[in-house]
C-alpha cells in the first residue's frame, strides 16, 4: 500500500484524537500514520500481528494504544518519565507513547528477537530517539527502575506482577491494559495477599465496540481496590 493510501486514514485518526480529548496531539497524526505504515509493511516479515488490514490495525492497535495516553499523562503530570512496556510485541503501546510523549523515555521489552528488531527499525525510521528496544526475558533482567510499567494483553495479572514488578521504581506504578473487566484475574491477584487493583479505568476506544479497561496495580499493604 502506498503512503498516499495511508493519508486516507487521517480524518479517522483526527476524529479519534478529538474523541479521546487529545486535540493537542493533532500535529503527531502524520507520525502515527507513519508507524501504521511501518507496521503494515514489516508485518509479513516479522509476523507482528494477526491483523492484516491497515484499517483494522489503525483501530485495534493505534486507537487502542492511544486510549491509555490521557490516563498515563494525568498520572505523571508531564514529569520526566521512564516507561517500561512489557511484552511490547510491535511496540504497542510503547511506540505510541513515544510519539505522543517525546519527553518520556520508553523501553520496549520483548523476548522475541524479531519483534525487538522491528521496534528498533521503526524507532529509527520515525525519528524517535526516546524509544529503545530491549531483547530478553523480562523476569531475568536487572530492574529498569521505571516510573510506569505497562503491558497490553500480555499476561494474567498474577503473571504480570510476578515477572515485571521488580522493574518499577520505588514510587512506580504497574498498569495492565485488558479487554473485558477481568474479574477472575483480579480475584486471583488479590488472593496472593501481596498485590491489589488500585483503580480500574474503562477505556472508550474510538470505532471499537469491544470492551477495554486499564488497571492500576499496587502493593496490597498500601492500597485497597476501589
Amino acid at each position: 500500500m502506498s503512503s498516499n493510501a495511508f493519508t486516507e486514514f487521517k480524518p479517522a485518526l483526527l476524529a479519534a484524537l478529538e474523541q479521546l480529548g487529545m486535540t493537542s496531539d493533532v500535529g503527531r497524526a502524520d507520525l502515527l500514520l507513519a508507524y501504521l505504515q511501518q507496521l503494515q509493511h514489516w508485518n509479513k516479515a516479522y509476523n507482528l500481528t494477526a491483523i492484516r488490514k491497515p484499517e483494522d490495525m489503525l483501530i485495534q492497535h493505534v486507537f487502542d494504544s492511544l486510549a491509555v495516553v490521557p490516563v498515563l499523562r494525568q498520572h505523571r503530570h508531564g514529569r520526566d518519565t521512564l516507561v517500561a512496556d512489557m511484552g511490547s510485541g510491535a511496540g504497542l503501546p510503547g511506540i505510541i507513547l513515544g510519539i505522543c510523549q517525546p519527553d518520556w523515555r520508553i523501553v520496549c521489552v520483548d523476548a522475541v528477537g524479531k519483534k525487538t528488531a522491528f521496534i528498533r527499525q521503526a524507532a529509527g525510521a520515525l525519528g524517535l530517539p526516546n524509544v529503545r528496544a530491549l531483547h530478553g526475558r523480562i523476569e531475568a533482567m536487572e530492574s529498569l527502575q521505571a516510573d510506569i510499567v505497562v503491558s497490553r494483553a500480555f499476561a494474567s495479572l498474577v503473571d504480570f506482577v510476578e515477572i515485571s514488578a521488580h522493574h518499577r521504581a520505588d514510587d512506580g506504578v504497574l498498569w495492565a491494559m485488558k479487554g473485558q473487566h477481568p474479574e477472575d484475574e483480579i480475584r486471583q491477584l488479590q488472593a496472593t495477599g501481596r498485590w491489589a487493583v488500585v483503580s480500574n479505568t474503562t477505556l472508550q476506544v474510538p470505532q471499537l465496540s469491544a470492551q477495554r479497561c486499564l488497571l492500576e496495580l499496587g502493593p496490597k499493604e498500601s492500597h485497597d481496590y476501589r
Side-chain angles (χ1 to χ4, degrees):
M1 180 172 287
S2 68
S3 59
N4 288 337
F6 278 84
T7 63
E8 295 180 3
F9 298 129
K10 192 167 184 176
L13 176 56
L14 294 177
L17 290 172
E18 182 176 4
Q19 181 179 335
L20 292 168
M22 298 176 62
T23 53
S24 62
D25 293 279
V26 296
R28 309 187 199 281
D30 288 341
L31 202 53
L32 290 165
L33 291 176
Y35 166 74
L36 178 66
Q37 187 172 20
Q38 289 287 316
L39 180 60
Q40 196 272 339
H41 177 75
W42 290 103
N43 192 38
K44 289 184 179 180
Y46 288 104
N47 192 27
L48 301 164
T49 173
I51 299 171
R52 302 299 179 188
K53 295 181 179 180
E55 56 268 33
D56 294 333
M57 291 178 177
L58 178 68
I59 297 169
Q60 297 185 46
H61 290 324
V62 178
F63 290 178
D64 189 64
S65 295
L66 282 171
V68 305
V69 174
V71 181
L72 299 187
R73 280 177 171 169
Q74 185 178 22
H75 172 72
R76 292 299 299 176
H77 301 292
R79 292 175 289 169
D80 177 57
T81 298
L82 173 61
V83 178
D85 176 13
M86 298 304 183
S88 186
L92 297 161
I95 288 181
I96 303 302
L97 291 172
I99 291 172
C100 294
Q101 289 291 147
D103 56 332
W104 289 5
R105 293 166 291 135
I106 315 293
V107 182
C108 296
V109 185
D110 205 281
V112 180
K114 62 184 178 180
K115 292 182 177 179
T116 52
F118 167 75
I119 293 168
R120 292 189 188 98
Q121 187 279 331
L126 299 174
L128 300 175
N130 61 323
V131 176
R132 68 183 179 98
L134 194 58
H135 174 226
R137 295 181 62 83
I138 296 168
E139 64 271 27
M141 295 178 181
E142 292 187 7
S143 176
L144 292 170
Q145 291 294 297
D147 303 295
I148 292 173
V149 179
V150 64
S151 71
R152 175 179 179 266
F154 166 59
S156 71
L157 295 178
V158 171
D159 288 344
F160 175 44
V161 298
E162 286 293 334
I163 68 176
S164 304
H166 73 286
H167 287 291
R168 74 180 184 112
D170 288 342
D171 60 346
V173 178
L174 273 68
W175 297 88
M177 299 172 63
K178 290 287 183 178
Q180 188 173 1
H181 186 64
E183 295 285 357
D184 290 342
E185 290 187 25
I186 291 173
R187 282 194 292 267
Q188 292 166 7
L189 180 70
Q190 293 176 327
T192 67
R194 292 177 289 122
W195 290 85
V197 175
V198 179
S199 66
N200 175 16
T201 302
T202 299
L203 301 175
Q204 301 296 333
V205 179
Q207 298 189 35
L208 188 68
S209 59
Q211 296 182 9
R212 293 287 189 270
C213 65
L214 179 64
L215 303 179
E216 177 187 356
L217 311 179
K220 192 159 187 169
E221 61 270 17
S222 59
H223 294 291
D224 292 318
Y225 176 53
R226 60 178 184 271

